[in-house]
Amino acid sequence: MTKILLILTALQVVYGSNKSFINFGSFICPREDKALGQCLRNAFNSYVPQLATGVPEYGVPPCEPLLVPAISIQQSAGPISVTSSYTDVSVTGPSKMRVKNVEVDSKKHQVIASLYIPELRMKGNYNLKGQLFMLPIEGDGVFYAKYDDIDATVTIILGRKRRPNSVDALACKSLEVKFHVGNASMKLENLFGGDSDLGNAMNKFLNENWEKLSNELQAPMEKALQDVLKPLADHAFSILDADDVLLP
Ligand SMILES: *[C@@H]1O[C@H](CO)[C@@H](O)[C@H](O)[C@H]1NC(C)=O
Ligand SMILES: *[C@@H]1O[C@H](CO)[C@@H](O)[C@H](O)[C@H]1NC(C)=O
């Protein structure tokens, strides 16, 4: 999803937008909601594969693997109460993302994008402590995770941000992520201070129960993603003038 935001950075709006068209770099999209949605989908899909190697002409560095410096996920209600944080996470696979559909509702200033990512692989450091279905868990080490068949829906509400001595910039007023994972597997190294019997048993438990776990962790994971993506979107959109995109 970060990729989409980078694409928006890459698709710099140039001058010359008029009432019926919006000009995004080499893509000129009609303004009418349905046609704009299709045009944005095609534009994203033609840019996404290039993001793996970067788009030097727009100053976009190679972004596969994608590096996420820090994420924290807290869950304290229900059968899971775990405090966890992840650092130096490298993610491969986002450049294989396809945008399935983009829906624009210009009256509500709303854009809804449906995405499909065939596979994401992650590697990084984790630190976690808490309880999973009555079992105590704790660990601090390297983790690996693989997620298959990810469907995600990103809902963005556009807004405007005042700029000193200039016209208003486009802003991301809100961003909501919903996702569904088809299959997942993971490995946490150095659980329970390196006790390998306990660690192996817990890894087996995690892999056998990932679906239940991910249902429980869905809301905090979506919240964590939103917290990562919202400022990125705000930053990416701020290169656009609000009046070029938003209807009065
Ligand atoms: C708006 O821009 C498009 C694409 O650049 C152009 O084809 C069209 O003629 C323009 N319309 C007006 C009214 O200027
Ligand atoms: C899910 O992933 C695991 C580990 O990669 C694999 O063994 C299993 O067959 C997969 N299940 C499905 C339904 O694809």
Side-chain angles (χ1 to χ4, degrees):
M1 272 148 282
T2 312
K3 300 298 180 198
I4 294 198
L5 308 170
L6 289 169
I7 296 159
L8 280 168
T9 316
L11 297 171
Q12 298 193 47
V13 157
V14 293
Y15 321 98
S17 295
N18 63 28
K19 284 197 180 66
S20 5
F21 290 85
I22 308 179
N23 205 336
F24 301 96
S26 56
F27 285 91
I28 298 170
C29 289
R31 261 187 192 279
E32 186 273 317
D33 285 358
K34 195 158 190 231
L36 176 57
Q38 286 171 1
C39 185
L40 287 174
R41 182 196 63 195
N42 296 341
F44 288 156
N45 282 336
S46 74
Y47 267 85
V48 169
Q50 296 181 39
L51 289 169
T53 48
V55 190
E57 62 268 39
Y58 292 108
V60 176
C63 37
E64 184 126 347
L66 178 69
L67 299 171
V68 181
I71 310 176
S72 74
I73 298 178
Q74 316 285 338
Q75 168 75 320
S76 52
I80 294 183
S81 87
V82 170
T83 301
S84 60
S85 59
Y86 307 85
T87 53
D88 296 325
V89 180
S90 85
V91 185
T92 51
S95 69
K96 299 280 188 322
M97 175 177 84
R98 300 303 295 163
V99 179
K100 291 192 298 187
N101 191 39
V102 177
E103 249 175 74
V104 178
D105 185 331
S106 53
K107 286 208 185 73
K108 293 186 189 161
H109 296 167
Q110 176 179 274
V111 180
I112 304 178
S114 319
L115 319 171
Y116 174 74
I117 307 174
E119 181 185 290
L120 281 182
R121 282 174 188 269
M122 296 185 199
K123 179 185 177 217
N125 302 312
Y126 79 94
N127 179 298
L128 69 79
K129 192 170 172 56
Q131 291 219 327
L132 295 179
F133 306 108
M134 321 283 281
L135 300 173
I137 180 171
E138 66 163 299
D140 187 350
V142 173
F143 81 95
Y144 303 85
K146 178 174 171 291
Y147 302 93
D148 299 318
D149 288 327
I150 301 155
D151 281 294
T153 306
V154 183
T155 303
I156 289 171
I157 309 278
L158 299 169
R160 50 176 72 231
K161 192 159 53 186
R162 292 212 160 279
R163 272 191 299 214
N165 308 317
S166 181
V167 295
D168 290 352
L170 189 68
C172 176
K173 201 163 153 191
S174 74
L175 182 148
E176 190 190 86
V177 180
K178 297 273 169 211
F179 65 85
H180 177 266
V181 174
N183 194 14
S185 58
M186 67 211 78
K187 183 165 182 232
L188 304 181
E189 288 184 348
N190 202 44
L191 279 167
F192 305 107
D195 182 315
S196 62
D197 288 345
L198 279 176
N200 290 341
M202 180 54 83
N203 272 300
K204 187 162 180 284
F205 176 81
L206 292 173
N207 283 287
E208 284 167 358
N209 293 281
W210 72 268
E211 210 156 4
K212 263 184 257 165
L213 288 165
S214 76
N215 288 340
E216 292 296 327
L217 291 173
Q218 190 85 12
M221 276 169 25
E222 286 169 350
K223 169 83 172 64
L225 260 180
Q226 280 159 213
D227 292 347
V228 171
L229 295 179
K230 165 84 168 51
L232 287 174
D234 229 4
H235 182 73
F237 294 170
S238 69
I239 60 160
L240 311 183
D241 289 346
D243 289 327
D244 284 345
V245 177
L246 302 178
L247 294 175

